[in-house]
């Protein structure tokens, strides 16, 4: 059984039910990548996002020295122990009309439809060596950017949490994810203007949660976006 907005799997062979909560509740509403430009992550208003931004430390970008993806743990670990890796958890959360590989207890996503928040386009996802890259999982706060703004001071466990936190992950257009790279809000924003307010608010929420800082240029770019919300 699969329920949109969260993930509920009936593991028939094991006689157990594993539930993964990958959404947040605001009253009776859901907040996630499909929430458009109405609210920010966890239901915080854009005014509160702006307030949180003003509370972030403003510092220069530290050197990238020592950065390695492995510093944030193995890619797409099963950190919530639900039997599925993080990539498939996020695909399940963000895609519609998914199909699954038989025998994986609705874990490995084979196909689905993404309403891409970054471009506003609809993208068909099909698992395969030549096709999977059409939909990629973006770290909203890029890991290299996080490393230069405080993550290198976090514990290994905390960095692993950052890399696998659903708050910091979105299924998006693979081309745009590659274009973004390790950019922050001063160097890259989603082409879809309708998603810039939720995007920046989500970055701020991640930076608050993991005690990361912003550069002055990044702060100014974030403020310009939030002032327009």
């Amino acid at each position: 059984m699969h329920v949109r907005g969260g993930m509920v799997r009936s593991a028939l062979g094991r006689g157990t039910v594993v539930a993964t909560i990958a959404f947040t509740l605001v009253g009776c509403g859901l907040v996630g990548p499909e929430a458009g430009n109405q609210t920010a992550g966890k239901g915080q208003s854009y005014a509160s996002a702006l307030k949180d931004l003003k509370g972030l430390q403003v510092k220069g970008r530290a050197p990238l020295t020592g950065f390695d993806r492995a510093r944030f743990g193995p890619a797409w670990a099963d950190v919530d122990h639900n039997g599925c890796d993080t990539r498939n958890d996020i695909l399940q959360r963000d895609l519609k009309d998914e199909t699954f590989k038989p025998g994986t207890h609705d874990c490995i996503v084979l196909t689905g439809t993404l309403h891409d928040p970054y471009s506003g386009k609809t993208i068909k996802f099909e698992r395969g060596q030549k096709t999977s890259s059409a939909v990629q999982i973006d770290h909203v706060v890029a890991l290299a950017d996080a490393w230069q703004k405080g993550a290198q001071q976090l514990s290994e466990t905390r960095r692993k949490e950052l890399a696998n936190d659903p708050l910091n992950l979105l299924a998006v257009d693979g081309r745009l994810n590659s274009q973004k790279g390790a950019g922050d809000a001063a160097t890259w924003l989603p082409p879809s203007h309708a998603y810039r307010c939720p995007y920046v608010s989500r970055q701020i929420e991640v930076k608050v949660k993991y005690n990361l800082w912003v550069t002055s240029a990044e702060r100014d770019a974030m403020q310009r976006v939030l002032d327009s919300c």
Side-chain angles (χ1 to χ4, degrees):
M1 178 175 65
H2 178 75
V3 180
R4 289 298 306 171
M7 285 166 270
V8 179
R9 293 185 199 87
S10 179
L12 300 178
R14 292 171 291 176
T16 59
V17 175
V18 182
T20 300
I21 305 302
F23 55 75
T24 53
L25 297 176
V26 183
C28 295
L30 298 179
V31 174
E34 298 169 0
N37 63 349
Q38 298 174 3
T39 56
K42 289 189 177 178
Q44 69 177 140
S45 69
Y46 297 132
S48 65
L50 187 57
K51 181 179 178 180
D52 285 343
L53 173 61
K54 292 178 179 178
L56 290 175
Q57 279 190 298
V58 180
K59 299 169 64 174
R61 184 186 293 271
L64 195 57
T65 306
F67 171 75
D68 189 288
R69 176 61 178 84
R71 298 271 189 165
F72 292 82
W76 311 131
D78 179 16
V79 294
D80 57 5
H81 307 295
N82 69 344
C84 297
D85 63 71
T86 301
R87 173 178 166 78
N88 279 290
D89 280 343
I90 300 304
L91 287 174
Q92 286 203 41
R93 185 195 68 184
D94 292 354
L95 300 186
K96 291 184 178 294
D97 304 320
E98 306 98 324
T99 64
F100 303 90
K101 184 177 180 179
T104 65
H105 302 300
D106 286 357
C107 182
I108 297 178
V109 180
L110 291 180
T111 63
T113 301
L114 173 70
H115 298 297
D116 176 42
Y118 287 176
S119 67
K121 298 178 181 178
T122 297
I123 301 172
K124 296 293 184 181
F125 171 77
E126 181 178 355
R127 182 182 176 87
Q129 287 188 342
K130 297 183 178 180
T131 56
S132 288
S133 62
V135 173
Q136 298 177 15
I137 308 302
D138 179 40
H139 287 95
V140 178
V141 174
L143 299 186
D145 180 66
W147 180 261
Q148 294 180 287
K149 297 171 183 174
Q152 57 187 286
Q153 299 168 12
L154 300 177
S155 68
E156 183 177 340
T157 297
R158 193 65 171 151
R159 286 197 297 267
K160 185 176 180 180
E161 291 172 0
L162 168 61
N164 291 276
D165 190 337
L167 176 66
N168 194 35
L169 298 170
L170 283 176
V172 300
D173 180 343
R175 180 183 60 84
L176 290 179
N177 186 41
S178 298
Q179 181 190 93
K180 171 187 172 180
D184 61 20
T187 58
W188 192 90
L189 290 169
S192 173
H193 286 260
Y195 198 71
R196 289 184 176 182
C197 291
Y199 175 77
V200 165
S201 298
R202 196 162 184 158
Q203 285 190 322
I204 293 168
E205 191 171 355
V206 170
K207 295 210 166 193
V208 169
K209 182 175 181 179
Y210 291 93
N211 197 31
L212 307 177
W213 68 76
V214 292
T215 64
S216 58
E218 180 183 13
R219 176 203 58 197
D220 293 347
M222 287 176 159
Q223 182 163 341
R224 283 194 297 271
V225 169
L226 292 174
D227 284 344
S228 71
C229 298

